[in-house]
Amino acid sequence: MKLYETWTAHIKENKPYVLYKKPGQTNITGLFQRDSSLHLVENFKESGFVLAPFYEGVRFYIPFSESHRIEGELLEHKFTYGAFELAYEQQPAKANFEHLVQRCVQAIKQGDFEKVVPSRKEVLALQEQDIQLLFSKLVVAYPEAFCYVIYHPQVGLWMGATPETLVALEGHVLHTMALAGTQVNHGKDEVFWGDKEREEQQYVTDFIVEKLRPMSKQMEVSLPFTKRAAKVMHICTAIKAQLEEVDLKMIVDALHPTPAVCGMPKPITRDFLLREEGYTRKYYAGYLGELNHTIQQENTLTTESHLFVNLRCMEIENQQVNLYIGCGVTEDSDPTSEFVETVNKSTTMKKILF
């Protein structure tokens, strides 16, 4: 298969590449950059696949014009998902994160901010060296997510399966979503959401609507609904806006990072997290996806951008895997429950690693 042959060659030659699958699709798109240059996104007029950090770091892209674009079906591998235990009592990770949540709650009660989204990094030994096999397992395991694997020799190797759209822009029509609140998916048809989860999700919805309204001629906001994402579920609100003018940089700067991955107000909670988390998020809770992709529809050329929030992701470096996981904290949050939530969320990546 040409897709996997080209990918194998790029791995051997240590060249930049990205492979990705859109939600609900089976087709894999591969972009294989012809050289090893690092292309930076500066004005959002660029065209390619972008990967941007949460805050600090390099915002780069793999240009469509400088890459071989190949589409193909998933290469069938014979594999099984290994068993693993969820470490709900791990030390000192549990104590450290609970202390962080306590500091978050204290800051909220002091009136510093309304909501914040702390996170942690979990480091595991890399047991499976075959990146192609890991990506195949990821795609099969999460058919409704945006799945990707991206590599650049100056940045590193990242892989993930995210359920959350940051911006989907076609012409003057913008789609996005407010996604927050988490509970384990037990397969039940009816889902009960408590006050804490509904409040957390409403923060995100209000933030997005507030940011987009000055740019929009018309806006549609759905009622909240349950969105299932593998082992966990979230409350989701779909938002559609008819824009007055299209300024993609202004839109992304206004929305990123949303309260779903940072907090509210954004500048204060972002600075709090940078100071208190004790590690650098890098590309976790950043965004990624197709930037200014020109496609032909009914004899008409259309430019689209579809960016996703980089959740449920891992960084592979040397012989280890870094998992990045977070949770929303409000005044009523319980530190132990929030740690348990991060453990449940970690199953997305652990499922393919074992």
Side-chain angles (χ1 to χ4, degrees):
M1 179 183 284
K2 188 176 181 181
L3 177 68
Y4 280 84
E5 290 174 351
T6 305
W7 186 9
T8 300
H10 258 60
I11 292 175
K12 291 180 179 178
E13 296 171 6
N14 201 33
K15 289 183 178 179
Y17 65 80
V18 61
L19 285 86
Y20 55 98
K21 177 201 72 70
K22 296 180 179 180
Q25 298 184 5
T26 58
N27 207 45
I28 307 295
T29 299
L31 289 179
F32 303 97
Q33 193 171 306
R34 296 185 182 94
D35 61 22
S36 296
S37 301
L38 184 65
H39 299 273
L40 303 182
V41 176
E42 298 185 6
N43 57 19
F44 285 78
K45 304 294 185 183
E46 299 85 358
S47 179
F49 190 99
V50 61
L51 179 63
F54 170 72
Y55 183 61
E56 299 168 317
V58 176
R59 184 174 62 198
F60 79 101
Y61 72 110
I62 296 180
F64 292 129
S65 62
E66 302 296 329
S67 305
H68 298 291
R69 181 186 179 95
I70 303 174
E71 296 191 6
E73 293 293 325
L74 178 69
L75 185 64
E76 292 187 6
H77 284 285
K78 292 183 179 180
F79 56 78
T80 57
Y81 298 108
F84 59 90
E85 293 185 3
L86 294 177
Y88 291 107
E89 299 300 327
Q90 58 181 303
Q91 298 287 348
K94 182 174 184 293
N96 290 339
F97 191 73
E98 288 180 352
H99 290 157
L100 173 59
V101 173
Q102 288 171 357
R103 296 197 299 276
C104 293
V105 172
Q106 181 181 5
I108 294 171
K109 289 181 177 179
Q110 291 174 177
D112 295 348
F113 40 76
E114 300 172 70
K115 173 204 168 176
V116 69
V117 188
S119 68
R120 66 184 179 90
K121 180 172 73 172
E122 187 172 335
V123 180
L124 304 172
L126 179 61
Q127 299 184 20
E128 176 56 66
Q129 304 292 327
D130 188 341
I131 301 301
Q132 294 177 332
L133 175 60
L134 288 178
F135 183 65
S136 296
K137 292 171 72 174
L138 185 75
V139 169
V140 172
Y142 303 101
E144 298 304 318
F146 180 80
C147 299
Y148 76 92
V149 55
I150 187 169
Y151 172 75
H152 195 289
Q154 297 185 50
V155 175
L157 177 64
W158 286 74
M159 186 183 302
T162 174
E164 184 173 353
T165 294
L166 178 66
V167 170
L169 182 64
E170 181 179 351
H172 282 69
V173 179
L174 180 148
H175 292 268
T176 186
M177 62 175 64
L179 195 73
T182 304
Q183 62 177 277
V184 177
N185 183 357
H186 294 294
K188 296 180 180 179
D189 292 333
E190 293 188 17
V191 180
F192 172 78
W193 292 100
D195 292 340
K196 185 261 184 185
E197 291 88 358
R198 291 198 301 269
E199 179 184 84
E200 183 183 342
Q201 198 269 343
Q202 191 62 48
Y203 278 135
V204 184
T205 302
D206 293 344
F207 168 84
I208 294 174
V209 170
E210 177 187 348
K211 293 297 182 181
L212 290 181
R213 195 173 296 283
M215 311 177 194
S216 306
K217 292 188 292 186
Q218 183 179 349
M219 188 179 298
E220 299 174 19
V221 181
S222 78
L223 293 174
F225 59 94
T226 297
K227 184 176 179 64
R228 300 171 190 269
K231 187 179 173 63
V232 296
M233 301 177 293
H234 308 283
I235 312 174
C236 183
T237 298
I239 301 169
K240 177 182 178 181
Q242 184 74 33
L243 301 178
E244 294 276 4
E245 297 182 2
V246 176
D247 185 332
L248 186 54
K249 185 178 188 305
M250 183 172 66
I251 294 167
V252 173
D253 287 347
L255 295 182
H256 171 72
T258 73
V261 297
C262 181
M264 189 173 179
K266 180 168 66 173
I268 298 173
T269 53
R270 182 189 62 205
D271 292 345
F272 175 87
L273 293 172
L274 293 173
R275 182 177 67 251
E276 296 291 336
E277 281 187 329
Y279 82 104
T280 302
R281 290 188 177 191
K282 297 183 181 179
Y283 293 97
Y284 165 67
Y287 57 87
L288 73 165
E290 293 177 331
L291 181 66
N292 297 317
H293 180 212
T294 302
I295 61 174
Q296 186 165 344
Q297 292 183 337
E298 299 179 356
N299 299 321
T300 303
L301 291 178
T302 306
T303 299
E304 298 181 354
S305 295
H306 200 163
L307 307 178
F308 295 83
V309 182
N310 195 19
L311 302 175
R312 313 297 190 273
C313 63
M314 61 182 173
E315 175 189 23
I316 300 175
E317 57 177 359
N318 301 321
Q319 299 301 310
Q320 73 180 36
V321 178
N322 302 322
L323 300 183
Y324 297 85
I325 35 186
C327 61
V329 170
T330 61
E331 184 175 352
D332 299 324
S333 291
D334 172 67
T336 299
S337 298
E338 300 300 347
F339 177 76
V340 168
E341 180 177 319
T342 67
V343 174
N344 290 333
K345 286 179 176 178
S346 74
T347 61
T348 301
M349 294 295 101
K350 287 180 179 176
K351 184 174 180 179
I352 72 162
L353 289 171
F354 293 92

